[in-house]
Amino acid sequence: MRFGTTLIPTLKENPVEARVESHRLMLRAGLIRQLGAGIYTWLPLGLRVLRRVEAIVREEMDAAGAQEILMPAVQPAELWQESGRWQMYGPELLRFKDRGGREFCFGPTHEEVVTDLVRRELRSYRDLPANFYQIQTKFRDEIRPRFGIMRGREFLMKDAYSFDLDEEGLEQSYRTMVATYNRIFERCGLRYRAVEADTGAIGGAFSHEFHVLADSGEDVIASCEGCGYAANLEKAEGLATPGTLDVPREVGPLRKVATPGRKTMEEVAEFLGCPLTGMVKSLVVEGTQGAFQLLLRGDHELNLVKAAHALGMDGVALVDPERAAELAGVGVGSMGPVGGRLPVLADSALATLSGFVSGANEEGYHFVDGVWGRDCPMPRFVDLRNVVAGDQCLRCRAAPLRLDRGIEVGHVFKLGDKYTRALKVTVQDADGKERTPIMGCYGIGVSRIVAAAIEQNHDELGIIWPVALAPFAVELLVVNPREEASMQVARSVEQGLRQGGIEVLMDDRDERLGVKFKDADLLGLPWRAVIGGRSLKEGAVEIQRRGQPDKERIALDQVVAVLLARVRSLDGITRVNIHR
RNA sequence: CGGGGUGUAGCGCAGUCUGGUAGCGCAUCGGCUUUGGGAGCCGAGGGCCGGAGGUUCAAAUCCUCUCACCCCGACCA
């Protein structure tokens, strides 16, 4: 492909609206253009990357025995009413009517459609297991789209749905998908981590997320360097590092001390000379089952997902200070477990505390030397907090947890019979009895992978594509395209590489050299070959790996062979063909 | 949804407070020079000032309404 005749509108300046590197670079390198909030056009170069991700996903899904289909993006409301999600889904679901006034939505996901398909077409246990997937444009009317492609409203997703007769079958399907996902992200050349995840409202037993590691990631994931345990922050459990009061000791009687004007944990800790780890923090949450006072160690953070689970609610929210004061009968800076009026739940890390400091449920006072069971009823201790770096791993108890930031690019989970039951799907088993199949569902954010790959692979000059995803493996940079001799060399190298199965981008623009170099750095193709100028005079072509400082001169008759070998060996990754 | 902000040439912005009929840099087009890291000089083209209504002799500028987009906080591939 020729640079000069392709729409690659690179930008010299940084777009003001882009806050993360991937968004900036995708705009600057001319991969995408914004049409509306969270809605983007993919330009030729960006589309090629998208197609590469798709191709890898397809190959691996097909190899795993999944069948590709393509379901409608527009879905009738009836199906969603049947599953109950028409009411449940909320404003994120884009709804509209056709000319006849019939209601539809633009699919944010396709459980209903695929389940409907299966109920119509599959009759027998012999039709199972089955796994259908598609690569489809989805739309979710996000509260706040941001970071460009990373959190757009319209996005490209691979979604797959497995159907099995029983739990063992589902387990097998699930394992296959986890293995497939590992291969997919490895082939993409990304540094990623698979982590255990919360199953959310659907409540299935098992769920994993796949995160591309990047400092700018919106999610936090915890992992153990000893045993390999990894989970997202919502789910991760750890053993808190003991504080100074976590040792059995003689504790005097409960004392009430004046702490005028001290509200925050830090203020009280400093005033009383007590470590944060010896303090009990009270937070008020409210949900469908009412309000509760949650207790955490002074240095810990509440995890709302865990709180909801512990309280048996779908979700809970931290209430604002006014509401908290109203519910607890005392201001937020003065609450404590001793003599409070709300039902209490305590974080496990508090169980070993002897002689804690807490609010006295009286404005301007705190209690010192509180003891569970003596000064207040023994609370129920459960995991309520976010782990912090350095907590001990609960699985192996031999190594600390570390925290990293990640971008969620894949999610697999066991759905169970939620949809097959709601839509009354049955197949006959070997005994002729009707059985309800159980489902697994498996998503990959295809377009998000493109952004995540850039987020993970760039420098101050531009993108540094992993070979597997690069829109082209090689850029041929023609120093002076008006020199017929240069162009002849360029064309023959281009042809040689193409015959070797590698597509190239030839920058044949009549631009100043500096412009072409800058654009080459920005686009970030893995190899750059400079044709012309001083090297060509010596019968050579200069090649350079993007991101590496050293340049090599290769004799003209060797260029094609060398580049082919280099591209094929890079990262040990085979590039797949994206066209036809 | 709440809070803040911006819409003026393809991009980035000034002009708005204090009304007088639109400007700068980059990009584009032409010419000359230059040619291994975003060139220099000369010249040119391009703007219903987001939209609608109002005030005024006169509106990018003041008023009202509206639309879009961006940013900051609670949600998710």
Side-chain angles (χ1 to χ4, degrees):
Chain A
M1 198 177 265
R2 301 296 171 93
F3 204 130
T5 51
T6 307
L7 181 62
I8 308 173
T10 57
L11 302 174
K12 212 187 283 191
E13 295 175 76
N14 264 323
V16 281
E17 72 273 15
R19 289 302 152 117
V20 294
E21 222 33 61
S22 62
H23 190 194
R24 271 196 278 273
L25 289 172
M26 289 183 84
L27 291 166
R28 284 195 55 204
L31 305 184
I32 55 166
R33 282 295 182 264
Q34 178 169 0
L35 182 63
I39 305 178
Y40 293 84
T41 294
W42 290 83
L43 303 183
L45 230 46
L47 183 60
R48 289 185 69 92
V49 181
L50 202 59
R51 293 283 183 251
R52 289 211 178 280
V53 178
E54 279 183 41
I56 291 170
V57 169
R58 255 190 202 104
E59 278 193 12
E60 293 300 333
M61 289 301 292
D62 290 346
Q67 309 174 57
E68 184 171 11
I69 59 176
L70 183 59
M71 293 180 268
V74 172
Q75 308 177 18
E78 282 79 5
L79 264 182
W80 286 69
Q81 282 154 354
E82 207 177 341
S83 71
R85 285 209 289 186
W86 190 254
Q87 278 74 32
M88 296 304 294
Y89 218 90
E92 200 173 278
L93 184 63
L94 177 62
R95 303 160 210 248
F96 44 85
K97 292 187 171 89
D98 71 2
R99 65 170 83 197
R102 288 173 291 262
E103 290 194 288
F104 291 87
C105 64
F106 196 108
T109 177
H110 282 73
E111 281 84 3
E112 281 82 358
V113 180
V114 76
T115 306
D116 179 64
L117 176 76
V118 165
R119 104 174 128 182
R120 291 169 189 275
E121 309 302 335
L122 301 192
R123 299 277 124 73
S124 157
Y125 72 99
R126 292 180 200 190
D127 297 328
L128 303 182
N131 188 338
F132 299 103
Y133 80 97
Q134 65 172 345
I135 296 176
Q136 243 285 20
T137 297
K138 311 271 191 190
F139 193 95
R140 293 183 191 175
D141 201 351
E142 288 277 344
I143 294 169
R144 190 150 94 79
R146 64 189 124 169
F147 305 147
I149 289 299
M150 198 101 92
R151 180 172 297 288
R153 293 195 293 174
E154 188 180 294
F155 57 98
L156 194 66
M157 181 175 169
K158 188 283 302 178
D159 49 328
Y161 307 89
S162 69
F163 294 83
D164 283 281
L165 200 59
D166 51 30
E167 188 62 39
E168 296 77 65
L170 173 56
E171 179 64 29
Q172 182 56 46
S173 297
Y174 187 90
R175 282 176 193 281
T176 302
M177 279 299 109
V178 169
T180 299
Y181 275 35
N182 278 315
R183 272 197 299 278
I184 288 170
F185 296 120
E186 261 156 39
R187 282 189 57 187
C188 285
L190 299 170
R191 290 175 14 251
Y192 74 100
R193 193 162 290 160
V195 307
E196 294 177 19
D198 188 76
T199 45
I202 294 158
F206 229 53
S207 175
H208 285 87
E209 287 172 355
F210 291 77
H211 288 262
V212 169
L213 300 175
D215 291 338
S216 57
E218 290 186 89
D219 298 306
V220 175
I221 56 186
S223 53
C224 170
E225 285 162 342
C227 68
Y229 166 73
N232 67 14
L233 195 62
E234 288 182 349
K235 179 93 191 283
E237 297 174 322
L239 202 57
T241 311
T244 48
L245 298 187
D246 277 305
V247 280
R249 60 180 182 118
E250 284 301 308
V251 179
L254 185 71
R255 285 182 296 132
K256 182 155 80 175
V257 298
T259 49
R262 274 71 178 188
K263 291 287 182 193
T264 67
M265 284 287 116
E266 287 75 14
E267 286 164 3
V268 177
E270 191 185 342
F271 183 71
L272 295 177
C274 171
L276 276 177
T277 52
M279 306 194 39
V280 174
K281 169 160 69 177
S282 292
L283 298 167
V284 180
V285 298
E286 204 172 12
T288 48
Q289 315 289 320
F292 291 83
Q293 181 175 344
L294 304 182
L295 308 179
L296 287 132
R297 208 168 79 178
D299 60 327
H300 286 155
E301 224 176 61
L302 176 64
N303 180 317
L304 282 170
V305 174
K306 289 179 179 178
H309 281 316
L311 295 169
M313 297 194 243
D314 282 347
V316 293
L318 204 57
V319 302
D320 60 51
E322 293 76 41
R323 176 73 179 147
E326 185 185 325
L327 288 163
V330 62
V332 287
S334 308
M335 281 174 213
V338 182
R341 68 154 86 144
L342 288 170
V344 161
L345 200 58
D347 180 67
S348 314
L350 292 173
T352 49
L353 262 189
S354 58
F356 55 80
V357 170
S358 72
N361 290 313
E362 185 180 339
E363 211 66 39
Y365 291 92
H366 278 76
F367 282 129
V368 175
D369 283 345
V371 173
W372 304 119
R374 183 189 75 179
D375 303 315
C376 63
M378 184 65 76
R380 186 156 73 94
F381 292 103
V382 291
D383 184 24
L384 287 177
R385 69 185 182 93
N386 288 333
V387 295
V388 295
D391 282 355
Q392 204 175 48
C393 173
L394 265 182
R395 298 285 165 90
C396 68
R397 300 196 180 243
L401 295 177
R402 57 173 291 163
L403 297 185
D404 291 284
R405 300 199 76 89
I407 300 162
E408 187 183 353
V409 289
H411 197 166
V412 297
F413 60 97
K414 295 184 180 176
L415 261 184
D417 62 358
K418 180 181 162 85
Y419 296 95
T420 44
R421 203 153 36 85
L423 301 204
K424 300 187 175 59
V425 183
T426 56
V427 296
Q428 278 196 337
D429 69 10
D431 302 326
K433 285 204 289 273
E434 297 286 315
R435 299 269 294 269
T436 302
I438 53 178
M439 294 172 66
C441 105
Y442 317 92
I444 288 183
V446 174
S447 46
R448 182 181 279 183
I449 285 178
V450 178
I454 295 171
E455 209 57 59
Q456 194 178 71
N457 300 285
H458 66 266
D459 63 15
E460 62 289 345
L461 296 175
I463 302 169
I464 306 175
W465 284 113
V467 202
L469 303 187
F472 296 91
V474 175
E475 168 162 341
L476 300 180
L477 196 158
V478 185
V479 174
N480 185 356
R482 283 171 302 183
E483 276 175 18
E484 188 45 36
S486 298
M487 283 304 289
Q488 259 178 33
V489 172
R491 278 192 294 264
S492 88
V493 173
E494 178 186 39
Q495 202 187 356
L497 290 174
R498 289 179 72 168
Q499 277 164 2
I502 287 173
E503 287 170 283
V504 302
L505 178 68
M506 189 200 294
D507 193 345
D508 58 345
R509 292 175 301 169
D510 188 13
E511 282 284 355
R512 296 183 65 81
L513 237 202
V515 172
K516 289 187 272 200
F517 276 134
K518 289 290 182 194
D519 277 346
D521 291 335
L522 186 58
L523 299 192
L525 304 187
W527 285 96
R528 181 174 78 198
V530 179
I531 295 171
R534 54 195 187 210
S535 46
L536 190 59
K537 284 197 187 75
E538 296 162 25
V541 168
E542 185 179 279
I543 68 170
Q544 185 179 6
R545 175 87 167 95
R546 176 69 176 89
Q548 306 291 332
D550 32 295
K551 300 167 183 166
E552 280 180 82
R553 288 208 175 174
I554 310 292
L556 273 185
D557 56 351
Q558 293 297 309
V559 173
V560 170
V562 168
L563 279 174
L564 283 175
R566 294 292 166 80
V567 170
R568 285 172 180 156
S569 70
L570 273 177
D571 303 339
I573 281 165
T574 318
R575 283 168 64 83
V576 292
N577 252 326
I578 56 175
H579 292 303
R580 285 163 283 278

